[in-house]
Amino acid sequence: MAIISTQKLTKCYGKLTAVDSLSLEIEEGEVFGLLGPNGAGKTTTISMLCTILRPTSGTAKVNGFDIRTQPGNVRSSIGIVFQEPSVDDLLTGRENLEMHAMLYGIPKELRKKRIDEVINLVGLEDRADDVTKVYSGGMRRRLELARGLMHRPKVLFLDEPTLGLDPQTREHIWRYIKKLSKEEEMTMVLTTHYMEEADMLCNRIAIMDAGKIVVMDKSANLKKKVGGDIILIKMDKPDLKRIRKLSFVKSAERKDGAVQIVIRDVDKNLQKLLCKVGKIKSVEVRPVSLNDVFLHYTGKEIRADEEEGGYWERMMQSSVNR
Amino acid sequence: MSELEAIYAVWLREFRVYLREKERVISSFISPILWLVAFGSGVGTSVSLQDPIYKGIPYQNFIYPGVLSMSLLFTAIFYGVYIIWDRKLDFLKEVLVAPVSRSSVFIGKMIGGCTDVMLQSVILLILGVVIGMPITPLVFLYSLLILLLISVAMVSLGLVMGSNLTNQEAFGLVMNFVIWPLFFFSGALFPVSNLPSWLLVITQINPLTYGVDALRGAILGVQEFSMLKDFSVLIGFSLLMIWLGIISFGRMQQSK
């Protein structure tokens, strides 16, 4: 049964269509990823699904409740970890959780138990009584995760859960998210612009751009369609035809004075490839990235990375000034 | 019951934050003291009130109720407009997505702001006793009641503005177009009678005028309007602001 289904969900800001007729279904228990460049409409979609932004047209059902007509019911079915910090930094971790428990009507008798439970779950036992001002970015994120879970929502939304965190902390957060989806069997919807994050966590991924879903599939399938790894070779006079004929080569193109080749099973085939192409100046191997998947499906590169939020603000501003 | 719990949760957050922001608490006392001591006694040496009803009242005493209202006004409006920053971060979202009614969020916020203002007012009233204002225990309580009424009105006004503004730069507008005019045209620093008629009109549509007048009546025993009129205006204005506040909170959305 679909726990979230959207029907032509649309949000416009003036002339700009941030989310364009989005229709998708997310199954119960699934970890679903919305992947896309900044400004693709991921956060806008999530904001609408959690009823803090009214759609311009279309609607969606979350846990069987309509986001337009039954926002109260939707709100008690969901938990959210926002993109920006949303814990109060003058309150301690525990106080933040207490406030949340009261807002979500968790009975007094249960409160302490639940709070201790989630604090243990995210490993903040030692720091729970410190004000969150002194927390590191990763600790705050963990506290927010704990908070989002405390009232046992049917669906947990995670908006860029690891944005701005260092790689080590990112791994930690991933571990917690995985653990949660396994132990609590909770439906999770996460947005990200890191391919490897979506890959690591999600059962299914939808790639979004300019308010639309470009493609939606299991992560393995997405990558299969694009190919395995990418080899960039710098050389004089490359013979593209010959390279393309090799059985393990999926595609070969000229790019910025080099040849970009997508091949299968790089560990087995790199040697063969290098033997066949002739004299080379340099070679670079990297795994398929979001950019490549994106390029494959849209035929264009992801816009230069902009600071998250900045893009929207400028768009908003220009639509207001108009 | 859960709505009451929600109101309590929002209030508790505000209260804890207030107690921990020591800088804010301390700075909220500095300007009233400067106004009373520097302005009140300084200007007081060369000004004596000619108005028959205020004759014989030292200028410092005359402006004491005005300065009480002023510090209340600043704290209350700043508190309300602070939502703009809450909104910039995602803190407000946490409350907005909670399964509680927006009216409860508004009421909790409003009571939170009034608590800040009242704590500050108690200290300023004690300070008044120290510098020799005629404040008996009864006057003390009566003044607190009036201050509570004004703070409900002004905190709600601040929240109405804060919930409708999304731009941090709007803060300057609020300062220049709302806070200063409300203060200057409230009779806090000069008697309202005998003003040129254009100024009189402005002071008479300013709700704070009636708050200052009621406080002056309570503390100094002299006022220009009747207590009934002062209370009616304050209560009426508070109800209007609470109503607008609940509507504004209900409409509040995320900017993306």
Side-chain angles (χ1 to χ4, degrees):
Chain A
M1 195 200 93
I3 195 154
I4 297 177
S5 65
T6 71
Q7 287 105 37
K8 296 192 168 159
L9 193 64
T10 303
K11 180 74 195 177
C12 303
Y13 295 107
K15 281 185 194 159
L16 179 94
T17 308
V19 174
D20 193 355
S21 261
L22 197 73
S23 295
L24 59 84
E25 299 214 323
I26 297 172
E27 300 299 317
E28 188 156 7
E30 193 174 16
V31 179
F32 186 87
L34 273 175
L35 184 68
N38 296 330
K42 298 171 301 213
T43 299
T44 309
T45 305
I46 294 234
S47 293
M48 286 192 283
L49 290 178
C50 53
T51 75
I52 46 176
L53 189 64
R54 219 162 298 146
T56 310
S57 66
T59 189
K61 280 196 167 154
V62 177
N63 196 25
F65 302 112
D66 191 297
I67 56 164
R68 296 185 85 125
T69 54
Q70 299 161 294
N73 293 326
V74 172
R75 284 177 199 165
S76 36
S77 319
I78 59 172
I80 305 150
V81 176
F82 296 108
Q83 192 177 119
E84 316 268 339
S86 64
V87 291
D88 208 309
D89 61 3
L90 286 170
L91 300 185
T92 67
R94 194 180 294 279
E95 285 169 345
N96 268 297
L97 297 177
E98 269 170 20
M99 182 175 103
H100 186 85
M102 282 193 259
L103 288 175
Y104 282 77
I106 298 176
K108 228 183 188 135
E109 318 81 74
L110 268 179
R111 242 177 250 163
K112 204 187 154 335
K113 193 173 145 263
R114 286 274 182 91
I115 290 174
D116 288 337
E117 246 173 56
V118 289
I119 286 176
N120 287 336
L121 187 70
V122 298
L124 282 175
E125 301 91 333
D126 302 338
R127 306 295 300 276
D129 293 306
D130 293 346
V131 289
T132 58
K133 204 194 269 189
V134 301
Y135 280 22
S136 67
M139 287 166 67
R140 272 182 211 213
R141 225 58 189 131
R142 269 145 65 193
L143 179 65
E144 284 164 350
L145 260 180
R147 188 176 64 178
L149 290 168
M150 195 174 32
H151 58 283
R152 310 241 163 105
K154 298 286 283 181
V155 185
L156 182 65
F157 290 100
L158 302 152
D159 194 2
E160 301 275 5
T162 63
L163 186 75
L165 298 180
D166 59 74
Q168 206 184 352
T169 316
R170 178 169 297 163
E171 298 261 345
H172 271 281
I173 301 281
W174 286 348
R175 229 183 18 239
Y176 287 120
I177 295 176
K178 272 189 155 166
K179 186 167 139 193
L180 289 172
S181 81
K182 214 162 134 195
E183 286 173 10
E184 314 274 323
E185 291 174 2
M186 199 176 279
T187 310
M188 296 196 196
V189 179
L190 68 94
T191 76
T192 178
H193 59 272
Y194 303 117
M195 178 74 180
E196 77 268 30
E197 179 162 301
D199 199 22
M200 183 82 93
L201 300 171
C202 301
N203 308 115
R204 268 196 316 149
I205 297 172
I207 296 186
M208 258 187 113
D209 181 44
K212 286 195 164 142
I213 289 184
V214 182
V215 62
M216 182 159 58
D217 207 335
K218 293 207 161 92
S219 146
N221 293 348
L222 281 181
K223 282 214 276 185
K224 225 179 275 166
K225 281 177 202 160
V226 179
D229 291 82
I230 290 176
I231 323 258
L232 267 176
I233 299 178
K234 276 199 176 144
M235 60 190 297
D236 295 324
K237 297 177 196 155
D239 186 352
L240 282 180
K241 267 187 202 153
R242 199 173 145 212
I243 296 174
R244 285 196 189 116
K245 269 186 199 149
L246 296 167
S247 62
F248 48 82
V249 170
K250 295 201 70 180
S251 71
E253 269 144 59
R254 257 177 230 276
K255 201 186 168 195
D256 307 330
V259 188
Q260 179 172 310
I261 305 165
V262 181
I263 70 168
R264 266 190 291 273
D265 302 321
V266 68
D267 43 346
K268 282 188 232 151
N269 297 324
L270 182 60
Q271 183 105 53
K272 290 185 204 159
L273 175 76
L274 294 179
C275 291
K276 303 270 173 165
V277 291
K279 199 167 180 254
I280 62 171
K281 282 182 182 161
S282 74
V283 64
E284 195 187 314
V285 182
R286 62 177 175 84
V288 167
S289 69
L290 166 61
N291 199 16
D292 304 309
V293 177
F294 192 76
L295 192 71
H296 181 82
Y297 285 104
T298 64
K300 59 180 177 178
E301 302 245 357
I302 289 175
R303 282 181 280 276
D305 233 38
E306 293 186 58
E307 200 187 322
E308 188 77 13
Y311 174 74
W312 277 117
E313 255 148 55
R314 249 167 289 146
M315 290 316 266
M316 293 283 293
Q317 205 109 48
S318 63
S319 68
V320 169
N321 291 344
R322 221 170 272 154
Chain B
M1 276 330 264
S2 70
E3 293 295 328
L4 276 184
E5 186 108 72
I7 294 176
Y8 174 66
V10 175
W11 172 82
L12 187 64
R13 179 254 170 179
E14 299 299 339
F15 186 59
R16 280 172 168 162
V17 167
Y18 179 74
L19 293 185
R20 281 169 206 177
E21 277 189 306
K22 308 232 160 39
E23 302 86 350
R24 211 169 86 185
V25 179
I26 292 166
S27 68
S28 66
F29 296 117
I30 300 303
S31 73
I33 291 174
L34 280 176
W35 275 95
L36 271 182
V37 177
F39 192 82
S41 56
V43 174
T45 55
S46 56
V47 170
S48 66
L49 298 162
Q50 297 306 315
D51 239 282
I53 56 168
Y54 297 121
K55 215 163 176 98
I57 295 175
Y59 185 68
Q60 195 180 24
N61 290 22
F62 175 80
I63 66 164
Y64 175 70
V67 171
L68 272 182
S69 316
M70 178 206 69
S71 64
L72 176 158
L73 174 74
F74 275 72
T75 307
I77 306 267
F78 281 169
Y79 171 87
V81 177
Y82 199 79
I83 305 185
I84 303 178
W85 277 270
D86 279 355
R87 230 176 165 175
K88 201 72 191 167
L89 300 179
D90 275 349
F91 170 69
L92 199 63
K93 263 199 209 169
E94 152 74 1
V95 179
L96 295 185
V97 292
V100 295
S101 81
R102 293 286 173 83
S103 349
S104 303
V105 177
F106 174 81
I107 299 291
K109 271 258 173 199
M110 195 265 282
I111 299 177
C114 291
T115 308
D116 297 3
V117 172
M118 293 315 284
L119 286 174
Q120 180 190 324
S121 297
V122 166
I123 294 178
L124 288 178
L125 279 170
I126 293 171
L127 182 79
V129 175
V130 172
I131 62 169
M133 295 300 144
I135 300 172
T136 65
L138 206 62
V139 169
F140 195 95
L141 292 176
Y142 193 19
S143 309
L144 273 185
L145 174 70
I146 297 167
L147 285 162
L148 179 63
L149 260 181
I150 312 175
S151 67
V152 171
M154 294 304 150
V155 170
S156 305
L157 172 65
L159 289 169
V160 169
M161 291 190 294
S163 52
N164 285 298
L165 297 170
T166 46
N167 205 335
Q168 286 158 11
E169 283 73 39
F171 188 73
L173 289 181
V174 170
M175 187 81 191
N176 287 312
F177 285 92
V178 180
I179 300 185
W180 285 120
L182 276 179
F183 169 54
F184 279 119
F185 302 125
S186 67
L189 300 178
F190 44 80
V192 178
S193 51
N194 301 333
L195 289 177
S197 57
W198 65 271
L199 204 53
L200 191 64
V201 173
I202 298 178
T203 52
Q204 283 185 343
I205 56 171
N206 179 357
L208 192 62
T209 304
Y210 302 89
V212 173
D213 192 60
L215 271 180
R216 208 165 267 152
I219 297 171
L220 304 175
V222 286
Q223 61 195 119
E224 301 185 29
F225 312 109
S226 69
M227 228 14 146
L228 182 68
K229 186 172 182 188
D230 288 339
F231 271 75
S232 315
V233 172
L234 287 176
I235 292 171
F237 185 74
S238 299
L239 291 177
L240 176 71
M241 283 304 127
I242 290 173
W243 179 65
L244 283 178
I246 288 173
I247 293 179
S248 309
F249 267 59
R251 286 203 320 224
M252 206 169 359
Q253 290 193 25
Q254 231 13 70
S255 52
K256 67 168 184 182

